Amino acid sequence: MRLVVNALLASLPSMSNVLLVCSLFILIFSIAGVNFFKGTFYKCEQDFSVPNPPVLDLTTIFTKQDCLDQLGVWKNSESNFDNCINAMSTLFQMTSTEGWINVMYDGLDSTGVGMQPKRNNQIWLVIYFVAFMIVGS
């Protein structure tokens, strides 16, 4: 048992170097992600908190104001790039390969701040997500 503990303690400096390099990659990609996606993961959703909500016509919703005019709710995705902390959390989640496809689709569909997402609007951003999955995983 003592041998195992000594081996673990001896490996701590090497593990801290790996942790530092991984954190640096996540920080670099999070700064780029904030630059690309800040405030663009919002979307209009049905408001089920009111009784008998009106049906949303998503073909006529282009902005946040259109959503609110039709009594929808302007919601942000749980995984987003609105600030560096959220971006690092999202990227850390993506390193586990759990739910990274949904984050990638939100990024590809993003149109702009206060704008309703449009399917495959920025297809070139797949490079960002695939590059992170190759480097980060």
Side-chain angles (χ1 to χ4, degrees):
M1 184 67 161
R2 184 178 177 129
L3 183 64
V4 172
V5 171
N6 286 337
L8 283 174
L9 291 176
S11 68
L12 280 179
S14 299
M15 289 193 311
S16 65
N17 288 339
V18 171
L19 179 67
L20 182 66
V21 170
C22 289
S23 298
L24 184 64
F25 276 118
I26 289 177
L27 179 65
I28 290 169
F29 275 93
S30 70
I31 291 170
V34 168
N35 189 33
F36 289 141
F37 306 114
K38 183 176 184 177
T40 62
F41 278 24
Y42 285 86
K43 60 184 147 260
C44 189
E45 293 184 355
Q46 188 79 38
D47 185 10
F48 291 107
S49 65
V50 296
N52 299 325
V55 177
L56 289 177
D57 183 14
L58 293 178
T59 60
T60 61
I61 297 176
F62 300 106
T63 64
K64 177 182 179 181
Q65 191 59 46
D66 293 341
C67 176
L68 298 177
D69 289 345
Q70 291 192 26
L71 303 177
V73 177
W74 194 248
K75 286 184 72 175
N76 197 5
S77 298
E78 283 187 31
S79 301
N80 60 62
F81 291 86
D82 287 348
N83 57 49
C84 205
I85 300 297
N86 285 354
M88 290 178 78
S89 173
T90 299
L91 292 173
F92 183 75
Q93 171 193 341
M94 286 174 58
T95 58
S96 70
T97 66
E98 193 70 33
W100 78 276
I101 296 289
N102 295 333
V103 175
M104 182 182 71
Y105 285 150
D106 282 345
L108 297 181
D109 296 345
S110 64
T111 54
V113 177
M115 303 293 290
Q116 177 74 0
K118 192 164 88 175
R119 188 178 177 129
N120 295 332
N121 186 53
Q122 301 185 59
I123 196 73
W124 61 273
L125 285 172
V126 77
I127 296 168
Y128 170 82
F129 292 103
V130 171
F132 177 75
M133 291 309 292
I134 290 170
V135 172
S137 295

